[in-house]
């Protein structure tokens, strides 16, 4: 056992003995011991493989079809985060990784496990599709996905599509599409990974993974994750378990089969933050503050199952067919119960059970100078049981087509369309096109336009009580028109991307606050006025010898939408400067330096955990803020 693995083992062993129940101790110790006994460091590639063992034994594994989980084989590297970069990124959950992309702004409640406030270019999470290997993860009730539920250690690469093409890849992805491509291991000898993190207030994070080829055509990968938080304030704890498995059977080089299952179980306290009645001088004192709620909490139980295949059915090896069956159940148990030492005279028990399942077929075709992609998907999405909306189930069919035409090496055109059918509603079509011109080998100019729709969530359509109040007309649907243009410069030591965008939202559905509480802010869902979002975002990376620098920035201007025009910071930027090199005959990969982040002043928001909604807080302003860190990462 290496000294590095031994230190990790000792830390994890100590934490297990002092923190968890007896069954949890046994399970964690089993994975730690197995992982440590077989410890190898996997290579960063789509097929992790021990080539030395292969050559010595004559063992030849059947290769995995590359990019089988991708939503598009042609995605500019600006919008791809591979495992090799993820390994040198400081993160605690998926939201931290998404924040490294230009245009992404994350509202963070400052406590592990709390729901993110994801926005991409000024559009919130209701219009962002989060997918795993092309399969939508967003819950039908709220229309969003809790990023805390996805284990980052199983991600091979993150694909982010924020522009005019975004609507093409998932339901309600008008603002952006995020696809998480899972790892495909080829492990002749057992492979293991352990990630352990510990911090103040009993925060701990453990993830263990083991992968092994049972035969040269069959691989089994198992993983377990447990984040926990003791809490800084009252009613501020977090305890979550994630168990995942993936079986891949490569029948031949032209046919791969897979089955994956992911299970989440969490318990999260929901105190709603420090109450404004608390004097400013004591708002950070753990036992003196008054919290919004001492009783509320949630439990989430979720199962995600996928069965699928990737196949080369045509003479061209690039023409890959993928077919996936999927089924997800999501149970959220919200409670506001009277505790032994506190009471707020509120007693709520609400169980919201969602379910969605279906099939997705995707075909890539290379024809002359055309790269064609076709996708068909049919699914049932619904809320099986809920005390606020009852049982509501929708059947959905969608079809997408994209043609990318390379007229010349310096000029390419693309056109794309999406058709959606929801129950008895008429077909809705979304469409767009873009052009890319590369006048010089190191630079390109691009521009695009799209016209797309966002369907309302079940919450926006049916929830109407003293917590969520409806003030809107009819079935409703948001309509988005987006124009964007930009430049990309890629030289040997510098890369620069700049994008300007202008989004017009017609018939928007907005959330406002009527300024009373029960005990969290009451949410009002209403028809808003048409408005625009304009902005510029960019990304810069550069290297001079061993000196490496990187940075993102965004300028955002929100038009009058019936809410504050300062709902988002006008300016935000992040970046760092580092020494980054390999030392000791390439045995040590070292990255050390400084990073920082600045955000301009803007109006605050409040979070309603009962309905999982962010609403404007009209009387609170967040001042301009900047933070800086010293960072050291080594492998």
């Amino acid at each position: 056992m290496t000294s590095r693995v031994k230190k990790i083992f000792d830390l994890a062993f100590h934490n297990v003995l002092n923190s968890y129940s007896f069954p949890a101790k046994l399970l964690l110790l089993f994975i730690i011991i197995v992982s440590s006994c077989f410890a190898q460091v996997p290579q960063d590639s789509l097929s992790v493989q021990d080539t030395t063992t292969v050559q010595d034994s004559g063992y030849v594994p059947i290769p995995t079809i590359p990019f089988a989980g991708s939503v598009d084989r042609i995605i500019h590297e600006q919008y791809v985060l591979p495992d090799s970069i993820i390994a040198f990124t400081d993160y605690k959950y998926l939201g931290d990784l998404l924040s490294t992309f230009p245009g992404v702004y994350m509202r963070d409640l400052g406590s592990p496990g709390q729901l993110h406030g994801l926005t991409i270019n000024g559009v919130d999470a209701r219009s962002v599709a989060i997918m795993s290997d092309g399969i939508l993860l967003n819950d039908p009730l709220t229309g969003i996905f809790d990023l805390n539920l996805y284990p980052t250690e199983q991600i091979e690469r993150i694909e982010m599509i924020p522009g005019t093409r975004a609507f093409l890849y998932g339901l309600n992805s008008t603002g952006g599409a995020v696809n998480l491509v899972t790892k495909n291991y080829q492990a002749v000898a057992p492979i293991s990974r352990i990630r352990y993190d510990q911090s103040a207030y009993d925060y701990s994070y453990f993830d263990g993974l083991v992968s092994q080829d049972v035969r040269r055509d069959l691989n089994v990968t198992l993983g377990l994750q447990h984040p926990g938080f003791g809490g800084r304030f009252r009613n501020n704890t977090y305890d979550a378990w994630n168990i995942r498995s993936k079986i891949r059977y490569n029948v031949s080089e032209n046919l791969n089969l897979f089955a994956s299952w992911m299970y989440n179980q969490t318990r999260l306290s929901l105190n709603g933050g420090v109450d404004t009645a608390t004097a400013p001088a004591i708002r950070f004192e753990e036992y003196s503050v008054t919290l919004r709620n001492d009783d509320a909490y949630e439990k989430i139980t979720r199962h995600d199952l996928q069965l699928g295949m990737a196949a080369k059915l045509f003479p061209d090896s690039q023409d890959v067919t993928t077919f996936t069956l999927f089924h997800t159940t999501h149970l959220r148990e919200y409670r506001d119960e009277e505790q032994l030492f506190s009471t707020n005279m509120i007693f709520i028990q609400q169980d919201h059970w969602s379910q969605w399942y279906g099939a997705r077929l995707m075909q890539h075709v290379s024809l002359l100078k055309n790269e064609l992609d076709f996708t068909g998907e049919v699914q049932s999405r619904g809320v099986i049981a809920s005390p606020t909306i009852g049982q509501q189930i929708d059947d959905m069919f969608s079809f997408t087509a994209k043609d990318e035409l390379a007229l010349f090496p310096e000029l390419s055109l693309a056109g794309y369309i999406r058709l959606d059918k929801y129950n008895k509603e008429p077909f809705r079509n979304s469409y767009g096109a873009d052009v890319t011109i590369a006048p010089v080998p190191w630079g390109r100019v691009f521009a695009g336009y799209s016209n797309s729709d966002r369907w309302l969530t079940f919450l926006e359509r049916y929830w109407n009580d003293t917590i969520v109040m409806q003030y809107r007309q009819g079935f409703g649907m948001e309509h988005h028109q987006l124009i964007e243009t930009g430049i990309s410069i890629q030289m040997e030591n510098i890369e620069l991307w700049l994008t300007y965008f202008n989004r017009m939202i017609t018939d928007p559905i907005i959330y406002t606050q009527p300024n009373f509480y029960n005990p969290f802010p009451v949410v009002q869902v209403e028809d808003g006025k048409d408005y625009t979002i304009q902005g510029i975002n960019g990304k810069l990376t550069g290297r001079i010898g061993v000196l490496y620098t990187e940075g993102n920035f965004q300028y955002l201007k929100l038009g009058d939408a019936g809410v504050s025009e300062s709902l988002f910071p006008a300016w935000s930027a992040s970046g760092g400067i580092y020494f980054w090199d390999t030392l000791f005959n390439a045995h040590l990969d070292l990255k050390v330096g400084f990073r920082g982040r600045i955000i301009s002043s803007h109006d605050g928001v409040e979070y309603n955990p009962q309905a999982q909604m962010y609403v404007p807080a009209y009387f609170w302003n967040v001042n301009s803020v900047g933070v800086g860190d010293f960072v050291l990462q080594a492998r």
Side-chain angles (χ1 to χ4, degrees), residues 113-175:
Q114 299 290 337
L115 185 70
H116 62 90
L118 171 66
T119 63
I120 299 180
N121 293 335
V123 179
D124 65 42
R126 294 172 295 164
S127 299
V128 178
I130 310 294
M131 297 171 287
S132 178
D133 292 331
I135 301 303
L136 190 66
L137 299 175
N138 298 46
D139 176 27
L141 176 62
T142 61
I144 62 177
F145 174 69
D146 186 348
L147 301 178
N148 294 286
L149 299 179
Y150 201 88
T152 53
E153 304 309 302
Q154 79 166 4
I155 299 174
E156 181 60 47
R157 68 187 219 144
I158 300 176
E159 300 172 341
M160 165 76 76
I161 303 100
T164 56
R165 298 188 181 192
F167 73 86
L168 195 65
Y169 299 100
L171 177 68
N172 286 349
S173 59
T174 54

Side-chain angles (χ1 to χ4, degrees), residues 10 33 50 68 92 159 179 224 238 255 294 314 345 421 430 458 516 531 536 563 606 630:
D10 291 341
I33 292 171
D50 185 349
K92 292 187 180 298
E159 300 172 341
N179 184 47
L224 179 144
Y238 178 52
L255 178 60
D294 287 336
F314 301 95
M345 305 302 292
K421 182 73 169 66
S430 302
F458 284 85
F516 53 90
Y531 69 101
I536 301 173
V563 296
E606 291 190 83
F630 171 75

Side-chain angles (χ1 to χ4, degrees), residues 1 5-17 20 24-39 192-196 206-210 224:
M1 186 186 302
V5 172
K6 185 177 184 299
K7 290 179 181 178
I8 295 174
F9 178 87
D10 291 341
L11 280 172
F13 186 81
H14 175 77
N15 196 67
V16 166
L17 290 181
Y20 305 138
K25 292 175 185 179
L26 291 179
L27 187 56
L28 277 175
L29 284 174
F30 172 77
I31 289 189
I32 293 171
I33 292 171
V34 171
S35 301
S36 302
C37 292
F38 296 109
S192 68
R193 289 180 73 153
I194 295 177
R195 183 167 181 258
Y196 183 79
F206 170 84
D207 190 285
L209 177 145
V210 177
L224 179 144

